[in-house]
Amino acid sequence: MIRSFSEILTYKRGLKLTLASRLLLVASVFLGILIAAFSAPTPASWVYLSAIAFVELGVIKVLNKPVTILRALVFICFFVFLSLSMRLIGIFLFNNPLNPTTTVYAALLLVEAFLAITIFLQLISPSELVWLASKVGFKEAGRVLALVLTHLSSILLAYSEVYVVVKLKKTRSILALKPLLVYTIEYGGQINEAIHLYGLPDPVLGKTKPGGRDLLVTLMSLALILTGILLLSR
Amino acid sequence: MQKVLRVRGLRVRYAGGDWVLKGLDFELGKGEVVLIVGESGSGKTTFVRAITGLAGRVYNAVVEGYIEISGKPLAEWGWEEVRDKIGVVLQNPRATLVYPIVYDDLISHAYSIYGSADSAERALSNITKLLRISHLLNKHVDQLSGGELRRVSIAKALLSNPEVIVLDEPLMWLDDKGMEEVRKTIEILKLHEISVVVLEHRYRSLVEVADRVLRLEGGVLAPIESPLEVGGGFTTLKQAATAQEERDPVLEVRNVEVKLGELVLKDISLRISRGEKVVIYGGNGSGKTTLLRVITGVIKPAKGVVKRRGGILYIPQIPYLYFTETSLVDELKLAGLPDAGKASTGKTRFDLDRSPFSLSWGEALEFIVEMALESRSELVLMDEPFSGLSYTSRKTLGGRLLASPKAVVVTASNRENLEFLAGFKLLELKEGRLVEKGLLGDLR
């Protein structure tokens, strides 16, 4: 499970798009979610929210194995179920429950926001993140983020090992932090040594020529943004 | 032969510690491959840190003696010049990667050396062709096998066209295929007259490719004619004659299937009796760790049944990840051995008030194994216990496990390690299926 989780937070090279197209796609999804959040759950908003989910699931499907999209759907269903359960509890406890439509709408918004973050991390590589950060004056922060993203899976794997140990030792889970902390410090020392040996080079971004796919993604992203603006202006 | 590296009377000690290297002399000729062997903690990594200048610069160690690279003292080279002269592949090659896509990482490093996109591309193209890794460029580092990761790191070290390549334990964690890939890569470097220093515990497969073999012991280097400490042959399968006695089962696994995206384990059945010794052998990624986790109950199988009788103790690949307490005595208490400290004061060589994190790799593993074999657990699981140990320590560990009354399951990713597990039942995990191969015989 931890491995699957780290997988959906990892950059993938599946979509052969220019950086500009990928940024526009991610921006349109985030903007769309923001617009949907400020809209009442009208039929038009539901259609709009579904369109965003369709785009997100489409990107996840292209970048991952088919099973990942199933997991994403299960994840969505889980949140919807959770929100409906909360409504039921609300009926029994407060006699003043949230509107069911609003509850499900809010749950979907939350899920789509999470999926948008995973799409961002899967579409924009750490080297591109450093490049983008350096353009807005946060080069060092960008480098730190790139290193964290590159080495995150190693730390998560160590966590899964510690989890097995702690479970079998039947000790307090909080104690798992100790070996993890020591491991992370030691791993950080190795990275420090490597940086002294190899330096911390600025990213060199490969050039991708815009093609038919870029045009398609650009049109789709612009359509998503324009529809959102229309929705807000109603 | 032209000397590319010369070391005279090298002494190194870390702050507050004893001298690790005590007057070490070393010379490396152009195109020469030198293999340095030595026990864990003998100072191999300290030697690498000293010749690259890291010992003083990063670790604030006291470094005395004379180091010369390409005819010029180390002190006279600029820091970045030293980086270009000596390429180092660290024990953990993953730590050297800044960006997760192989191409992004290598091209960025090449650009920082050559300053122009064309030159960087040309250098990268030459190196990837030389090491035959062009097919790996578009991969994410998490998709690389251990051997591929080592080759990518060697490529990164070669980009600056260094005089010397230093490989610090390049075979650690590797399976048979990965070991062979690294050995072939060293042969390619030798063919192109690139000087190589290899520091390794598991050196057998590298002896033939090396021009000289030296042993680092007592802080100095000495040449050795016959580096093989134990055995030197192959493991045999000895059927039935000394078959392990059938006793009450401590574990029964029946028709287990595990899906992690795809089917990882297929129709696995396994019965382990009290006191039985089993080794699960398979390449990296074959599902050995997954099977151990199924046995522990952390992973629930999609199909099949797992029955455990008695406690299980799991020792991870990195022994430090086992420790959750502040002292060794507290670890013993947690393992249900509150009197072990008192009872074994005369026997144990460990100061039980010590923090477990202050132990060396070998010591940490030794302590956990001793504790595991004394504990109330019926079954001890060890994931790749031989990594980071010298051949002598492996032989000792194998013998200790065999002599124990506990049931023991260990995993191994290369045939070399099977040699130290004589008397264990061999099960091979291949393409998700477990095949019983018989009992491992004596050393030949």
Side-chain angles (χ1 to χ4, degrees):
Chain A
M1 189 184 156
I2 291 167
R3 200 185 283 263
S4 308
F5 187 69
S6 74
E7 206 172 287
I8 60 165
L9 299 177
T10 306
Y11 169 68
K12 295 177 184 69
R13 280 199 147 186
L15 280 179
K16 289 187 174 60
L17 294 170
T18 60
L19 176 61
S21 305
R22 282 177 283 135
L23 279 175
L24 183 63
L25 178 62
V26 170
S28 68
V29 169
F30 274 110
L31 197 63
I33 291 169
L34 209 60
I35 290 169
F38 283 103
S39 309
T42 60
S45 307
W46 279 102
V47 172
Y48 187 59
L49 203 59
S50 308
I52 297 170
F54 183 75
V55 171
E56 287 180 328
L57 293 174
V59 173
I60 291 170
K61 185 186 173 296
V62 173
L63 295 175
N64 298 278
K65 291 172 189 163
V67 73
T68 313
I69 196 160
L70 277 175
R71 283 189 191 136
L73 286 169
V74 169
F75 183 64
I76 291 173
C77 292
F78 172 73
F79 264 79
V80 171
F81 173 76
L82 202 68
S83 60
L84 288 172
S85 308
M86 282 167 70
R87 177 182 145 69
L88 275 174
I89 293 168
I91 291 171
F92 289 120
L93 291 183
F94 309 112
N95 202 22
N96 184 23
L98 286 168
N99 180 313
T101 319
T102 314
T103 317
V104 174
Y105 190 80
L108 278 177
L109 265 176
L110 196 69
V111 170
E112 290 193 15
F114 175 76
L115 291 181
I117 293 168
T118 68
I119 284 172
F120 173 70
L121 292 173
Q122 289 184 69
L123 280 180
I124 313 295
S125 77
S127 40
E128 288 164 339
L129 276 178
V130 177
W131 183 81
L132 286 168
S134 67
K135 293 292 165 198
V136 290
F138 294 107
K139 189 174 175 179
E140 292 308 315
R143 281 172 158 179
V144 171
L145 182 65
L147 276 173
V148 168
L149 291 174
T150 302
H151 296 283
L152 185 66
S153 56
S154 293
I155 304 289
L156 286 173
L157 280 178
Y159 175 78
S160 68
E161 284 280 271
V162 174
Y163 174 72
V164 178
V165 169
V166 169
K167 193 168 182 286
L168 290 172
K169 276 177 138 183
K170 297 187 176 98
T171 186
R172 285 173 294 153
S173 305
I174 188 77
L175 290 176
L177 287 175
K178 204 183 291 170
L180 268 181
L181 195 66
V182 172
Y183 175 79
T184 309
I185 291 168
E186 209 227 340
Y187 194 84
Q190 292 169 15
I191 292 174
N192 180 36
E193 195 169 317
I195 289 171
H196 273 85
L197 287 169
Y198 290 97
L200 201 52
D202 287 335
V204 177
L205 301 186
K207 285 175 192 158
T208 314
K209 282 184 185 168
R213 278 184 176 198
D214 287 277
L215 186 67
L216 198 71
V217 166
T218 307
L219 288 174
M220 189 177 72
S221 306
L222 290 175
L224 208 59
I225 295 170
L226 287 173
T227 318
I229 293 169
L230 282 174
L231 189 73
L232 268 186
S233 61
R234 280 181 62 185
Chain B
M1 189 189 282
Q2 183 199 338
K3 300 295 175 200
V4 290
L5 180 65
R6 213 188 289 263
V7 178
R8 288 276 172 270
L10 179 65
R11 282 155 52 89
V12 181
R13 97 178 139 78
Y14 295 102
D18 296 330
W19 292 101
V20 181
L21 301 180
K22 304 167 182 172
L24 178 149
D25 296 325
F26 178 68
E27 278 188 352
L28 181 70
K30 173 88 180 150
E32 194 180 18
V33 175
V34 175
L35 174 61
I36 297 177
V37 305
E39 290 284 324
S40 174
S42 60
K44 297 192 296 295
T45 301
T46 301
F47 175 63
V48 178
R49 288 173 183 163
I51 59 172
T52 51
L54 282 174
R57 195 181 168 93
V58 178
Y59 294 93
N60 291 323
V62 180
V63 182
E64 294 176 0
Y66 178 75
I67 301 169
E68 179 190 285
I69 303 166
S70 302
K72 196 165 131 180
L74 176 68
E76 289 180 22
W77 289 106
W79 174 246
E80 298 211 338
E81 287 172 315
V82 175
R83 284 206 308 218
D84 291 346
K85 290 279 171 195
I86 302 184
V88 181
V89 178
L90 297 173
Q91 268 182 36
N92 176 5
R94 209 177 178 305
T96 58
L97 303 176
V98 179
Y99 301 114
I101 302 297
V102 173
Y103 174 82
D104 288 354
D105 192 77
L106 295 182
I107 195 68
S108 305
H109 182 56
Y111 189 83
S112 72
I113 296 166
Y114 297 99
S116 86
D118 285 346
S119 308
E121 279 288 355
R122 211 174 308 123
L124 179 58
S125 169
N126 289 339
I127 299 297
T128 51
K129 275 182 198 154
L130 176 74
L131 299 185
R132 298 168 199 152
I133 57 161
S134 306
H135 63 291
L136 303 178
L137 288 178
N138 282 329
K139 283 196 171 182
H140 191 284
V141 289
D142 287 341
Q143 294 174 314
L144 300 177
S145 68
E148 288 171 342
L149 189 57
R150 285 298 194 301
R151 286 155 72 202
V152 166
S153 302
I154 293 172
K156 186 165 184 174
L158 277 174
L159 276 171
S160 61
N161 195 21
E163 298 272 1
V164 183
I165 289 281
V166 180
L167 306 172
D168 192 3
E169 300 208 20
L171 304 184
M172 194 154 181
W173 310 116
L174 296 190
D175 59 8
D176 295 321
K177 188 168 171 261
M179 283 171 70
E180 183 58 14
E181 284 174 359
V182 170
R183 194 186 64 77
K184 280 186 179 162
T185 304
I186 296 172
E187 276 179 355
I188 292 171
L189 298 179
K190 189 177 179 180
L191 207 65
H192 287 80
E193 296 204 326
I194 296 165
S195 310
V196 183
V197 181
V198 188
L199 303 105
E200 183 52 78
H201 288 295
R202 291 164 59 183
Y203 47 79
R204 279 188 192 157
S205 62
L206 301 176
V207 167
E208 282 182 15
V209 79
D211 296 306
R212 277 189 295 145
V213 184
L214 305 173
R215 183 187 298 281
L216 181 53
E217 202 171 30
V220 292
L221 281 169
I224 41 174
E225 295 303 319
S226 174
L228 303 182
E229 296 167 42
V230 283
F234 300 96
T235 312
T236 59
L237 289 176
K238 191 164 63 177
Q239 296 291 342
T242 54
Q244 295 179 17
E245 203 180 318
E246 280 283 308
R247 294 178 193 157
D248 298 337
V250 291
L251 176 77
E252 277 186 279
V253 177
R254 279 202 304 268
N255 310 109
V256 157
E257 283 193 3
V258 174
K259 281 181 187 169
L260 297 173
E262 57 197 37
L263 209 56
V264 182
L265 299 177
K266 301 168 190 169
D267 197 24
I268 300 280
S269 292
L270 172 67
R271 184 183 187 277
I272 296 175
S273 310
R274 182 164 288 125
E276 194 174 359
K277 310 293 181 293
V278 171
V279 51
I280 299 169
Y281 164 70
N284 293 341
S286 60
K288 301 186 298 295
T289 304
T290 305
L291 179 54
L292 289 190
R293 288 182 183 187
V294 169
I295 293 173
T296 61
V298 169
I299 291 180
K300 306 284 177 220
K303 265 189 194 172
V305 182
V306 181
K307 283 185 184 170
R308 305 166 200 91
R309 293 181 185 89
I312 296 178
L313 198 143
Y314 173 75
I315 305 177
Q317 284 188 21
I318 300 171
Y320 299 109
L321 294 179
Y322 180 86
F323 297 121
T324 50
E325 307 304 305
T326 45
S327 67
L328 296 179
V329 74
D330 288 340
E331 287 290 345
L332 289 172
K333 280 180 193 163
L334 194 62
L337 302 164
D339 298 325
K342 290 175 216 162
S344 59
T345 309
K347 291 190 286 179
T348 185
R349 66 188 186 87
F350 297 105
D351 170 6
L352 296 176
D353 291 326
R354 235 174 123 178
S355 161
F357 300 105
S358 67
L359 300 175
S360 73
W361 182 290
E363 287 173 336
L365 189 63
E366 190 188 333
F367 177 80
I368 300 169
V369 168
E370 288 305 322
M371 187 173 65
L373 299 182
E374 293 291 324
S375 73
R376 282 174 300 193
S377 305
E378 288 288 349
L379 176 61
V380 177
L381 306 177
M382 302 182 76
D383 198 3
E384 300 270 3
F386 291 133
S387 303
L389 296 185
S390 68
Y391 290 127
T392 309
S393 304
R394 286 170 205 214
K395 192 180 179 190
T396 308
L397 177 60
R400 180 72 186 90
L401 295 176
L402 188 68
S404 157
K406 303 269 179 202
V408 178
V409 176
V410 303
T411 63
S413 60
N414 56 77
R415 291 199 73 84
E416 193 184 54
N417 283 338
L418 300 183
E419 190 176 316
F420 306 100
L421 295 167
F424 277 60
K425 186 201 280 180
L426 174 63
L427 302 173
E428 187 170 2
L429 189 57
K430 203 173 178 183
E431 291 165 1
R433 294 186 189 279
L434 202 57
V435 182
E436 190 172 332
K437 295 280 186 177
L439 209 62
L440 286 168
D442 295 327
L443 303 180
R444 290 283 178 271

